[in-house]
Amino acid sequence: MGEAVRINTMMEVQEMAAGSGIKAVEWSMKAGEHTFVVHAALLWDENDGILVDTGIPGQLEVIRASLAQEAVPFDKLTKIIITHQDLDHIGSLPELLSASEGRIEVLAHELTKPYLLGEVPIIKRGVLVPPSKVDVTLQDGDELPYCGGIQVIFTPGHTPDHISLYHKPSKTLISGDALTSQDGVLMPPNKAFTPNMEQALSSVAKLLDYDIETVITYHGGVCTERIQERLAAIAAGEQ
């Protein structure tokens, strides 16, 4: 698993002050007989380059190639934030860390940490992943002083450890799998892969407290239209 078949950088969400910004980056990867597409988030400023989530295992070269097209080449990447334990989000983390020779810091929720350390089998596959590390343990409400300010929002349901990230300067939500999207329309989390949908919808309701203008969904891409309307509808159980 892991042959890259296509790299495409998505629309830039917002260019902030000179030398800083946030963007969704699309990775199209080969997973067995299937093509697997995800949308990671990339943030940067004069001090940091931050990648949110790492795709399925075996994606070091596709990630290197995609970052080479961006403001943050791989050798300028300083941090990786993990939204939750699912293999399509943490799969290439060990390879990225090995290639960086310890330069990259890893940030993850306290409930995600034992999965990344290879101490506990990931829930949906029941296997131990190759151990990585966690340099900074996150909790709900943490304010990260990077790229103008990033707030951690605990959004369990899709997994018990799930977090989303709110980038304050651009009013952008990096939703992980707490939300999906289709053709630019914000959608609920995937029911087939969300064991606790009731909790997941409660987490979506929590997002209504934030002034969100853009959402980067890992499965689906960027949404900019009717955000508050769609969040309210999804939290109420509508499609």
Side-chain angles (χ1 to χ4, degrees):
M1 180 163 60
E3 180 189 354
V5 294
R6 180 164 59 91
I7 305 165
N8 179 36
T9 54
M10 295 286 288
M11 59 171 284
E12 190 158 1
V13 176
Q14 184 168 337
E15 183 79 22
M16 298 177 292
S20 63
I22 179 172
K23 177 179 280 190
V25 181
E26 180 182 290
W27 298 331
S28 183
M29 303 166 288
K30 192 73 172 178
E33 296 298 317
H34 305 284
T35 299
F36 193 78
V37 179
V38 299
H39 304 84
L42 183 65
L43 305 94
W44 66 93
D45 64 11
E46 64 276 10
N47 298 313
D48 288 297
I50 302 174
L51 181 65
V52 182
D53 292 330
T54 68
I56 59 178
Q59 301 309 307
L60 173 61
E61 293 310 315
V62 74
I63 293 171
R64 276 186 185 274
S66 69
L67 294 180
Q69 301 176 30
E70 303 296 340
V72 187
F74 181 73
D75 62 356
K76 299 297 183 183
L77 197 65
T78 62
K79 296 174 176 62
I80 293 173
I81 304 177
I82 297 295
T83 61
H84 64 292
Q85 62 177 277
D86 281 348
L87 190 62
D88 59 326
H89 293 253
I90 69 174
S92 286
L93 180 60
E95 299 160 76
L96 291 170
L97 296 181
S98 177
S100 76
E101 299 180 344
R103 181 190 73 249
I104 297 175
E105 290 186 313
V106 178
L107 296 80
H109 191 270
E110 59 184 355
L111 295 179
T112 308
K113 184 174 181 178
Y115 301 100
L116 297 183
L117 297 182
E119 298 173 348
V120 179
I122 56 175
I123 291 174
K124 295 173 187 175
R125 290 180 177 253
V127 298
L128 294 173
V129 298
S132 299
K133 64 171 182 172
V134 176
D135 298 290
V136 179
T137 303
L138 304 175
Q139 298 183 29
D140 187 36
D142 282 353
E143 300 266 355
L144 306 180
Y146 315 126
C147 301
I150 304 169
Q151 184 164 351
V152 177
I153 310 171
F154 186 46
T155 49
H158 179 77
T159 61
D161 58 316
H162 196 287
I163 61 170
S164 301
L165 302 167
Y166 180 62
H167 183 238
K168 293 184 174 183
S170 64
K171 298 183 179 181
T172 298
L173 178 75
I174 303 168
S175 74
D177 287 352
L179 295 159
T180 62
S181 65
Q182 184 174 354
D183 299 324
V185 178
L186 205 57
M187 301 295 288
N190 189 319
K191 186 175 182 179
F193 299 102
T194 303
N196 192 334
M197 183 60 76
E198 181 178 356
Q199 187 180 45
L201 296 184
S202 294
S203 292
V204 174
K206 185 176 179 179
L207 300 174
L208 287 164
D209 293 337
Y210 295 84
D211 183 12
I212 300 168
E213 294 183 353
T214 301
V215 181
I216 300 174
T217 63
Y218 197 67
H219 299 287
V222 177
C223 300
T224 58
E225 301 295 329
R226 301 165 50 215
I227 299 300
Q228 293 298 318
E229 176 187 340
R230 289 299 301 150
L231 287 174
I234 292 166
E238 302 175 17
Q239 290 297 311

